[in-house]
């Protein structure tokens, strides 16, 4: 049984649970400091070592995402979720901890960094680069050879033509 520990049980965390179950996980549970849906607080993560195959951080704030990844990485493997209804070229590179939602297109020679959120319908054109801990909003487009700097949030429906 493949089990995922999701850090964050807010609206995005609940969406990530659905994506995980649709992407082949058998079970997914939450750690969150402020949710009754969670099986524990984030600081209690060591109690769950050995019970979960992988973890993923489902929080929008890139600094918080980075802190959680650094905190849990020694004890759990960082998951990567690519929804089966996303298109990802065979020579694209997707960093650990990243989430590629349904309807996304990631063309050839794209690089997505660690723990990025690529929201539904986003398009990353060929040879583009998305830095670590970025979020590419729904229906946003990163054009060919564009570079998105680490920690950047590209708003829904935006077009990135060059480095930001």
């Amino acid at each position: 049984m493949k089990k995922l520990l999701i850090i964050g049980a807010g609206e995005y965390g609940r969406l990530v649970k659905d994506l995980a179950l649709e992407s082949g996980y058998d079970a997914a549970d939450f750690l969150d400091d402020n949710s009754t849906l969670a099986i524990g607080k984030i600081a209690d993560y060591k109690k769950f070592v050995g019970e979960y195959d992988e973890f993923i951080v489902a929080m929008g704030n890139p600094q918080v995402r980075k802190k959680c990844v650094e905190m849990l990485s020694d004890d759990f493997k960082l998951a990567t979720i690519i929804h089966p209804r996303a298109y990802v070229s065979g020579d694209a590179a997707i960093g650990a901890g990243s989430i590629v939602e349904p309807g996304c297109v990631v063309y050839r020679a794209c690089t997505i960094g660690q723990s990025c959120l690529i929201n539904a319908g986003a398009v990353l054109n060929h040879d583009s680069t998305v830095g670590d801990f970025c979020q590419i909003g729904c229906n946003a487009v990163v054009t060919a050879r564009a570079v998105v700097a680490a920690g950047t949030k590209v708003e829904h429906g935006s077009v990135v033509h060059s480095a930001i």
Side-chain angles (χ1 to χ4, degrees):
M1 181 143 123
K2 191 173 176 186
K3 293 176 68 179
L4 180 68
L5 189 59
I6 301 170
I7 310 306
E11 292 173 348
Y12 192 65
R14 294 189 307 272
L15 181 145
V16 169
K17 181 175 182 174
D18 289 346
L19 297 175
L21 295 175
E22 293 170 5
S23 299
Y25 287 88
D26 298 305
D29 293 304
F30 301 107
L31 290 183
D32 191 298
D33 293 346
N34 301 303
S35 176
T36 58
L37 297 175
I39 59 172
K41 306 278 186 204
I42 296 170
D44 298 333
Y45 72 92
K46 289 215 181 251
K47 294 179 185 177
F48 303 98
V49 172
E51 290 184 41
Y52 292 85
D53 301 293
E54 300 175 321
F55 83 100
I56 200 152
V57 183
M59 296 181 194
N61 183 306
Q63 290 83 19
V64 173
R65 226 168 36 248
K66 183 176 182 181
K67 181 180 176 184
C68 289
V69 166
E70 290 170 350
M71 183 170 57
L72 278 79
S73 288
D74 288 342
D75 295 298
F76 297 94
K77 180 182 177 193
L78 187 55
T80 301
I81 297 174
I82 301 172
H83 194 273
R85 288 191 306 275
Y87 169 77
V88 177
S89 172
D91 72 346
I94 313 285
S98 291
I99 300 166
V100 180
E101 295 179 13
C104 290
V105 177
V106 181
Y107 284 117
R108 64 162 302 284
C110 287
T111 301
I112 297 173
Q114 180 181 29
S115 199
C116 290
L117 310 177
I118 312 300
N119 298 144
V123 175
L124 280 61
N125 211 337
H126 65 87
D127 301 283
S128 61
T129 301
V130 175
D132 294 342
F133 304 100
C134 285
Q135 180 176 353
I136 308 299
C138 294
N139 297 315
V141 176
V142 178
T143 62
R145 296 172 302 286
V147 177
V148 180
T152 299
K153 180 178 182 180
V154 175
E155 295 296 334
H156 299 314
S158 296
V159 178
V160 177
H161 293 285
S162 60
I164 61 170

